[in-house]
Amino acid sequence: MYCVFLLGPRPSALIPDFRMPFNQPAPELGNQYSDDRVLRSYLARALPAEMLAAIVPELSELGELAGGELYRMQIADRLNEPRHTPWDAWGNRIDLVEVSPLWKLAERIAAERGLVATAYERKHGRFSRIHHFALVHLFTPATDVYSCPLAMSDGAARALVASGNQALIERALPRLTARDPARFWTSGQWMTESTGGSDVGRSETIARRDGDRWRLYGRKWFTSAVTSQMALTLARPEGNPGGGKGLALFFLETRDSNGRLANILVHRLKDKLGTRKVPTAELTLEGTPAWLVAGESDGVRNIAPMLNVTRTWNAVSAVSYMRRGLALARDYAKKRIVFGAPLADKPLHVDTLAGLQAEYEAGFQLTFYAVELLGRDDADCLDAGGKDLLRLLTPIVKLTTGRQAVALLPEIVEGFGGAGYVEDTGIPVLLRDAQVFSIWEGTTNVLALDALRALQAGGALGALQVEVETLASTVRDTRLVACVKAAQTALAHAQSWISQASGDALEAGARRFAMTLGRALALLLLCRHAQWSLDHEKDQRPLYATRRFAQNGVDMIAAEDVGASAALANDSPA
């Protein structure tokens, strides 16, 4: 039997063309700064006028880039993912990891536009973090989660500064905060091992002294952004006891002076649901040179300054993904004609988008409140109560916004109908990437328990109550007063519950308690901003967002029957 191949033009009269054009309108993005009413309004309220005027051109330029060139490149770059080449042609182990073209461009943009540097240059004192995270908010969804290595770099810089280790500070900080792409470093955060993720006390990596440095031996199961030039990691110095107390925090550089991996063996890149542009690797440290950051123990405590920063990045990233999804959905709704009219004219679709917008605005106000606290802490403007409040709210803000993103992005996909389920529209990746925001830097449950530990500091709830009273006092409009009362009632319920719960009931209710704190505080912050907007902008949209968010529910506290929960979870007789 012979196969005949037709070469040349196809005889169209004989072979019909079954290719059908996809004729729904593609969503487009405009300037992501000027189009984001929530961001612009917040900055107008939170920043001194002269500072805002000075940074608007920078924000506008990045907003144009995010909605224009970078968005077009994201669509074109969709199928490019990191590649791992273990061996060269001559049998030498090279473990070459190549990232996507967009990631290469993102690294240069991040350096030049100070996506880490802005926080450490502190040109605007306690407001510098607001400036910094406004840039991050615009940058993150436009660069396929290049915010991952940037978050860890910012966290590493913060941890090194807090350690007081002058040698490492002088070695790494100028590179982590460089604006010159040729000098710019990013950092990894290598904590997760196969023995446990959040349970870092079970880490098995061993550190052995080698003169004035150490060598690390162990397997790291999940190391994000493995192409970074340095990393902070936990390891147990030989002879130290088990558990988190016996771990120490180490600094390492991933390559030696010849550019070769420093006794690091990359086994594979992880095949993940989302964040597929991030080169996440499983690797082994085979005598990797490392230096102690701050003593031969208490590594978990010494990594805490890093977590405050990276969890804030996570919250900002979650909010920015909500904003990106809404921007695309709104544009599409204006163009997509169904049953004789644009989706934007359909009351049910409008109502759905309004509910999502309210969640975004609440998450934004809550996140940037945490950003303000972090900026004040950077500038040494927080008293002891403020530091306790920052310690409490950082995990709460992260878990609240992570859950919001996971709930909101599926609605965005659904709003595109079948087109939202088709990969080459670029919509599904928003959903897949958003799933990580409730996992990275601690899952919802882990962070809820961390919030309970933060309460042990003693001053956090008192400091929160002062903030609640201050926020409530700013609201005068009668349409907002009911929302203020709903938030205060929810917070009082949470405080009453935490004062009475204990044992298994306390742990079982930790998630609901933390979510109640997060959502109730978000509602109060919405009230504060809505009142300001009515007074200064004559804009009622923040008022509408506040009332809609209140309707979505803020009090998650419920009577916990631990025995019934166990029976239900295990599907066994009560």
Side-chain angles (χ1 to χ4, degrees), residues 38-84:
V38 176
L39 172 62
R40 291 186 293 105
S41 180
Y42 165 77
L43 294 177
R45 177 180 61 78
L47 297 181
E50 64 277 9
M51 175 187 166
L52 179 58
I55 67 174
V56 161
E58 179 183 7
L59 294 171
S60 184
E61 287 176 11
L62 188 55
E64 184 63 33
L65 195 61
E69 178 186 347
L70 289 177
Y71 177 55
R72 292 188 294 271
M73 190 171 181
Q74 276 184 301
I75 299 299
D77 197 48
R78 184 178 62 84
L79 296 178
N80 291 317
E81 295 185 357
R83 292 182 299 172
H84 172 220

Side-chain angles (χ1 to χ4, degrees), residues 39 55-56 64 73 141 143-144 205 211 251 289 302 316 441 538 553:
L39 172 62
I55 67 174
V56 161
E64 184 63 33
M73 190 171 181
T143 51
D144 291 340
T205 299
F251 164 94
N302 291 326
V316 173
E441 306 306 318
K538 311 306 178 187

Side-chain angles (χ1 to χ4, degrees), residues 258-333:
N258 296 314
R260 295 187 297 260
L261 284 174
N263 296 358
I264 298 170
L265 185 67
V266 178
H267 298 296
R268 57 174 174 166
L269 296 183
K270 294 294 192 180
D271 187 8
K272 298 169 293 177
L273 170 67
T275 64
R276 296 186 66 87
K277 297 300 182 76
V278 182
T280 304
E282 183 176 338
L283 56 81
T284 294
L285 307 176
E286 298 184 320
T288 305
W291 289 262
L292 283 168
V293 174
E296 296 185 21
S297 62
D298 295 311
V300 176
R301 185 181 66 188
N302 291 326
I303 205 70
M306 183 179 207
L307 294 178
N308 270 349
V309 171
T310 54
R311 287 171 176 174
T312 305
W313 272 81
N314 195 98
V316 173
S317 297
V319 167
S320 74
Y321 261 69
M322 289 190 268
R323 157 65 192 162
R324 169 58 65 95
L326 282 163
L328 290 168
R330 276 198 294 268
D331 185 75
Y332 184 72

